[in-house]
Amino acid sequence: MLSRRALIGGGAGLVAAAGMRALVDEAHAAVPDLNPGLPGGVHDAATLEALPNKAPLIKLSYRPPNYETPVSYFDNIITPNDAFFVRYHLSDIPETNDPKLDPKTWRLKLSGDSFDKPLELSFDDLKAFEPVEITAVCQCAGNRRGLFQPHVPGVQWGAGAMGNARWKGAKLKDVLARGGLKKEALEIVFDGADGPPVEKTPDFVKSIPAWKAMEDTVILAYEMNGAPLPHFNGFPVRLIVPGWTATYWVKHLTSIEAVAQPFQGFWMKGAYRIPTNKFPLVQRFLSQETEANTPITEMMVNSLITSPTDGALLPVGKTAQAKGIAWDGGYGIAAVEVSLDGGRTFDSALLGEDRGRFSFRPWMYEFKTTAAGPLTLVARARNAVGQTQTSALISNPAGYHNNLVPRVTVDVR
């Protein structure tokens, strides 16, 4: 189990207390408003803190660790490993040298009634599969939950419970084939080495449909941006399900089970569910769907304004530039539009580099500040299947899928 001492005190690669304070103070100065728009109590409690081998991130909870990436990092397409957000449901997290995580002793167990035979793979076995690399956004289903009106319970994320990275590993379907996956397999179930602090807390175990598991883009990753996975992002191996929310991206992976019946675990039946037919989903998880609700699956089309920031001062009569990113569930960003009149009319922005359909897509828009006073910019993304960001928040009990068009108000003088 990862101890408090390991989190904030000793160990190789940790920042000394004085240096840590200097980093935090410097980051506070660079980011005067860590989480704009959040409820007062959450907003006031948000502080920058560095986990081991991480840059200072916005701490929303310590146990389990939930740390958000400051929006300034999203000026780049790829989110650095040390600035990538951290999300856990359970607080019993093994340390890196625990046999369950040490690559020398780590094992991946394949079992279940829809495999021909039980199988155990070592880290070297996994790396012997043909490697693939894919750039994909990892986004918590509750990203921007803290901006919901009315307020909903849960971790009060701002806009930084996400990141974009190059993930390298083995195709899941190749690993399943090694175990002799049977045609009657309905779901594939995943468990990781992190666990509950007390026996009555349900372990974090997730499943995906067998058809999804067979897609070429679903991988078991052991590298992130050309380096081993960071400890707090799933070391040594995690599941990558591009286009789907991060609830399925199981960290510290230790077992895969193939089953012919719908998996009945709490984190499938009781959590990460949305009202049926309320969101424009293309990919549905039918074996887990009920008349009332369905598991969350793909990310909604979304965008973020990274510059200028809310409250920025812009000179009147000058050319200014708005920048940001857009992303969706893997259909590809077709357009981003920007409004200078609060959302009444829109004009096309210029799309930047395309790193693939699962990646952030940068955009830029130049405009002239013609009059002094407040100016509200609104961004709106559209994807290749015609889905557009919403101008009215789609309410749901857990605050998932906040893809409301972002707004930034600047002061023109």
Side-chain angles (χ1 to χ4, degrees):
M1 176 179 177
L2 194 65
S3 67
R4 179 175 177 84
R5 177 175 296 177
L7 272 172
I8 62 174
L14 300 192
V15 182
M20 171 66 177
R21 176 48 51 199
L23 283 173
V24 170
D25 290 343
E26 180 181 348
H28 270 298
V31 190
D33 193 346
L34 294 177
N35 245 333
L38 290 181
V42 178
H43 179 278
D44 295 342
T47 58
L48 283 173
E49 182 178 290
L51 291 164
N53 300 311
K54 285 285 189 181
L57 302 177
I58 303 167
K59 184 185 77 171
L60 297 179
S61 70
Y62 162 73
R63 187 175 173 86
N66 287 298
Y67 287 68
E68 180 174 333
T69 301
V71 168
S72 57
Y73 283 101
F74 301 135
D75 277 336
N76 298 314
I77 300 178
I78 299 298
T79 311
N81 287 6
D82 64 350
F84 215 90
F85 83 104
V86 173
R87 170 63 168 133
Y88 280 90
H89 299 81
L90 307 174
S91 58
D92 189 357
I93 305 168
E95 297 192 42
T96 306
N97 60 357
D98 187 294
K100 288 182 288 186
L101 300 188
D102 187 335
K104 295 185 182 65
T105 52
W106 173 86
R107 294 293 183 270
L108 178 63
K109 297 179 180 179
L110 276 63
S111 64
D113 57 25
S114 290
F115 277 128
D116 281 339
K117 58 184 181 300
L119 183 66
E120 190 171 273
L121 298 176
S122 69
F123 191 68
D124 287 339
D125 291 333
L126 184 65
K127 295 191 74 173
F129 284 90
E130 180 185 2
V132 294
E133 185 173 82
I134 186 168
T135 301
V137 175
C138 177
Q139 177 189 263
C140 178
N143 195 35
R144 298 170 69 191
R145 177 189 285 126
L147 308 179
F148 253 73
Q149 296 293 337
H151 174 80
V152 293
V155 179
Q156 297 300 294
W157 299 107
M162 63 177 184
N164 189 41
R166 303 187 329 271
W167 310 95
K168 181 179 178 180
K171 292 180 185 178
L172 174 60
K173 73 175 190 178
D174 291 348
V175 174
L176 298 179
R178 180 71 61 85
L181 186 68
K182 298 178 181 178
K183 63 181 181 180
E184 59 264 30
L186 181 69
E187 297 181 14
I188 311 298
V189 184
F190 304 87
D191 194 9
D194 52 319
V198 295
E199 187 176 334
K200 291 185 178 181
T201 301
D203 194 9
F204 189 75
V205 184
K206 298 291 293 188
S207 68
I208 62 174
W211 61 262
K212 186 67 177 177
M214 299 305 291
E215 291 185 351
D216 284 340
T217 56
V218 179
I219 68 174
L220 305 182
Y222 42 77
E223 286 187 14
M224 177 178 172
N225 293 330
L229 291 173
H231 178 72
F232 289 102
N233 297 113
F235 180 85
V237 177
R238 78 177 297 173
L239 177 66
I240 306 297
V241 190
W244 283 28
T245 61
T247 181
Y248 298 101
W249 296 40
V250 175
K251 297 186 291 293
H252 315 299
L253 190 63
T254 56
S255 74
I256 298 176
E257 185 179 6
V259 296
Q261 299 295 326
F263 176 60
Q264 300 295 314
F266 169 80
W267 295 99
M268 290 303 304
K269 293 295 184 182
Y272 288 99
R273 303 184 72 89
I274 54 178
T276 300
N277 298 324
K278 196 164 190 177
F279 292 91
L281 298 177
V282 176
Q283 297 192 351
R284 293 165 60 186
F285 198 159
L286 293 177
S287 60
Q288 291 282 346
E289 194 167 288
T290 70
E291 186 175 335
N293 55 51
T294 186
I296 197 167
T297 56
E298 66 203 51
M299 297 180 288
M300 297 291 98
V301 60
N302 220 327
S303 70
L304 181 66
I305 302 171
T306 59
S307 177
T309 56
D310 209 49
L313 297 178
L314 297 181
V316 67
K318 301 291 185 180
T319 298
Q321 187 181 88
K323 296 191 301 181
I325 51 174
W327 67 98
D328 77 333
Y331 306 104
I333 297 299
V336 174
E337 299 171 308
V338 176
S339 171
L340 300 179
D341 55 14
R344 291 188 294 274
T345 62
F346 284 86
D347 190 23
S348 295
L350 179 66
L351 292 179
E353 182 182 0
D354 186 353
R355 292 284 188 97
R357 61 192 179 99
F358 296 110
S359 172
F360 283 153
R361 186 77 184 269
W363 58 265
M364 184 272 290
Y365 181 76
E366 287 192 346
F367 61 98
K368 190 168 184 178
T369 55
T370 57
L375 175 64
T376 298
L377 290 77
V378 181
R380 182 175 67 187
R382 184 178 77 253
N383 68 9
V385 295
Q387 297 172 338
T388 304
Q389 277 184 271
T390 181
S391 58
L393 198 62
I394 302 176
S395 62
N396 61 97
Y400 296 140
H401 280 331
N402 184 341
N403 73 330
L404 188 67
V405 292
R407 296 171 180 266
V408 165
T409 300
V410 297
D411 186 7
V412 179
R413 296 183 185 177

